């Protein structure tokens, strides 16, 4: 099993320094961003697409640092009806599959995407609890008219490239839990589309990630190490579908997510929040989680994703790495 980190949290540092940090933390795997919601400062995509020598030099930097490049990450919304967002994110995904094949990287991480609610819609629309038939009409359109054709094409591209596309089951996407992941795989007859198992987004939905791994089995291709703390006192008042987000003021340079879209500010006193590995759940979760992943694929990569706002970049990575490596030793998978 390869334990490492997704390097987006270190985008302010050069790649070589980033790889050195991962190595000093005892990690041996890296996942690099190639487009979608955020930029790609750790990979010269155009150069690598056009030059074998550039690809050899790039991979040599990982080898010299003792780090394996285990995934390319292109999380975004490739189905967004916004013409400034969806087409670009979709192109980023197609280009990343091509690049992964050229680099010999077998895993591309992304999201399923979310379309509009009807033909001609300009805004993505998430149907959470479709108890009214009109909302099933929306889902029929989103799946049958948009998602299935798009993902059938992605499956074909991934199969041709011999690359597995790993979907993060993420709310505000059509695929956000095990049943929707299975639906996408079944309706596209996919062999090269499956799951990136990120427990953090399952925790707050009330899903047991270990049960999800065991249920999906060999549809799990890749994994993230990100924890979630459930703040029970706040859940009592606000529930887990907590909508108290606020806009980030322009003078605070909000993160652009494509087109006119920016990242909002998290609620104060949230119902749940992302934390470093071990700060939401201890070995009682992480040990069986790693064992379940190892049972599917002993060579699976599990990469830390640091989004703990209570810890800075390095401290957050260090806390997560220490907890993940200790859990791996306890699980007997290191």
């Amino acid at each position: 099993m390869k334990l490492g980190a997704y390097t987006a949290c270190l985008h302010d540092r050069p790649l070589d320094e980033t790889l050195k940090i991962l190595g000093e933390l005892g990690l041996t795997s890296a996942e690099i961003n190639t487009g979608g919601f955020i930029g790609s400062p750790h990979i010269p995509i155009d150069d690598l697409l056009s030059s074998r020598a550039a690809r050899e030099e790039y991979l040599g930097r990982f080898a010299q640092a003792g780090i394996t490049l285990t995934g390319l990450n292109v999380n975004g919304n490739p189905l967004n009806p916004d013409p400034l967002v969806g087409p670009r994110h979709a192109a980023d995904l197609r280009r990343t599959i091509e690049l992964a094949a050229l680099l010999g990287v077998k895993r591309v991480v992304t999201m399923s995407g979310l379309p509009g609610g009807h033909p001609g819609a300009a805004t993505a629309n998430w149907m959470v609890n479709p108890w009214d038939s009109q909302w099933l009409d929306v889902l029929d359109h989103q799946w049958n008219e948009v998602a299935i054709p798009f993902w059938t094409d992605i499956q074909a591209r991934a199969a041709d490239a011999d690359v597995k596309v790993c979907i993060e089951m993420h709310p505000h996407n059509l695929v956000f839990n095990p049943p929707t992941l299975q639906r996408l795989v079944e309706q596209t007859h996919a062999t090269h589309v499956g799951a990136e198992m990120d427990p953090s987004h399952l925790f707050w939905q009330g899903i047991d990630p270990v049960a999800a791994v065991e249920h999906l089995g060999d549809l799990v291709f890749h994994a993230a190490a990100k924890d979630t703390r459930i703040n029970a006192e706040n859940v009592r008042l606000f529930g887990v579908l907590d909508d108290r987000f606020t806009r980030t003021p322009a003078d605070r340079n909000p993160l652009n997510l494509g087109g006119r879209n920016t990242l909002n500010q998290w609620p104060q006193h949230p119902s749940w929040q992302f934390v470093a590995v071990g700060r939401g759940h201890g070995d009682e979760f992480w040990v069986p989680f790693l064992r379940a992943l190892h049972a599917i694929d002993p060579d699976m990569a599990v990469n830390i994703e640091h989004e703990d706002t209570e810890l800075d970049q390095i401290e957050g990575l260090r806390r997560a790495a220490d907890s993940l490596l200790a859990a791996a030793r306890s699980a007997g998978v290191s």
Side-chain angles (χ1 to χ4, degrees):
M1 181 166 276
K2 298 177 178 65
L3 305 179
Y6 173 40
T7 68
C9 65
L10 296 173
H11 272 182
D12 62 333
R13 300 164 189 255
L15 175 64
D16 293 334
E17 180 183 350
T18 294
L19 298 180
K20 182 174 183 290
I21 290 169
L22 300 191
E24 290 172 347
L25 294 175
L27 302 173
T28 60
S29 166
E31 187 175 316
I32 305 295
N33 203 77
T34 56
F37 288 135
I38 61 176
S40 51
H42 284 165
I43 185 165
I45 296 172
D46 291 337
D47 290 346
L48 299 183
L49 285 170
S50 61
S51 169
R52 174 179 291 183
R55 294 192 292 272
E56 291 175 351
E57 187 275 335
Y58 184 72
L59 292 172
R61 296 163 72 182
F62 288 81
Q64 185 173 5
I67 303 291
T68 301
L69 177 57
T70 55
L72 301 180
N73 189 306
V74 62
N75 273 334
N77 185 357
L79 306 183
N80 196 324
D82 184 336
L84 297 177
V85 181
R88 182 176 69 81
H89 289 187
D92 286 348
L93 174 55
R94 290 189 287 265
R95 182 176 65 165
T96 297
I97 292 170
E98 178 185 357
L99 177 60
L102 290 171
L103 287 170
V105 176
K106 297 299 184 181
R107 300 292 185 265
V108 167
V109 178
T110 191
M111 295 174 184
S112 67
L114 182 67
H118 57 83
T123 305
N125 193 344
W126 191 38
M127 294 290 103
V128 182
N129 187 10
W131 57 269
D132 186 317
S133 63
Q134 66 179 312
W135 297 324
L136 284 180
D137 293 340
V138 169
L139 285 170
D140 286 345
H141 163 72
Q142 291 178 319
W143 281 93
N144 299 333
E145 305 303 321
V146 184
I148 299 306
F150 177 84
W151 280 99
T152 297
D153 174 70
I154 294 299
Q155 151 63 25
R157 291 171 184 268
D160 286 345
D162 191 25
V163 168
K164 297 290 182 70
V165 177
C166 315
I167 293 177
E168 180 178 353
M169 294 176 284
H170 194 297
H172 289 279
N173 282 262
L174 282 182
V175 172
F176 61 93
N177 60 14
T180 49
L181 188 282
Q182 288 175 299
R183 178 177 179 177
L184 185 68
V185 169
E186 291 166 1
Q187 293 191 5
T188 60
H189 307 287
T191 57
H192 286 68
V193 175
E196 187 241 17
M197 185 57 66
D198 181 340
S200 67
H201 296 284
L202 302 184
F203 281 135
W204 70 260
Q205 295 182 69
I207 298 170
D208 178 349
V210 175
V213 171
E214 293 170 345
H215 177 75
L216 290 173
D218 60 8
L219 288 180
V220 178
F221 298 154
H222 195 76
K226 189 171 76 169
D227 211 339
T228 297
R229 177 191 298 146
I230 306 297
N231 300 318
E233 287 301 309
N234 297 331
V235 172
R236 290 176 62 196
L237 290 177
F238 309 123
V240 296
L241 297 178
D242 188 353
D243 68 346
R244 296 170 299 125
F245 289 76
T246 55
R247 299 182 190 278
T248 305
D251 61 4
R252 293 184 59 183
N253 299 314
L255 177 67
N256 183 270
L257 300 176
R260 298 174 296 275
N261 306 324
T262 58
L263 184 66
N264 290 327
Q265 293 187 102
W266 208 258
Q268 291 187 351
H269 311 296
S271 293
W272 51 269
Q273 62 200 97
F274 299 129
V275 292
V277 174
R279 283 174 31 89
H281 298 79
D283 278 0
E284 75 284 351
F285 165 74
W286 288 100
V287 170
F289 180 66
L290 292 176
R291 283 177 178 156
L293 294 171
H294 187 269
I296 294 169
D297 178 4
D299 293 324
M300 187 175 297
V302 183
N303 291 323
I304 294 164
E305 184 176 4
H306 172 46
E307 293 186 3
D308 189 329
T309 58
E310 296 175 344
L311 302 174
D312 68 21
Q313 298 156 292
I314 302 303
E315 179 60 18
L317 279 174
R318 180 178 293 110
R319 293 281 294 271
D322 288 348
S323 296
L324 186 64
L325 291 167
R329 289 191 294 270
S330 296
V333 301
S334 59

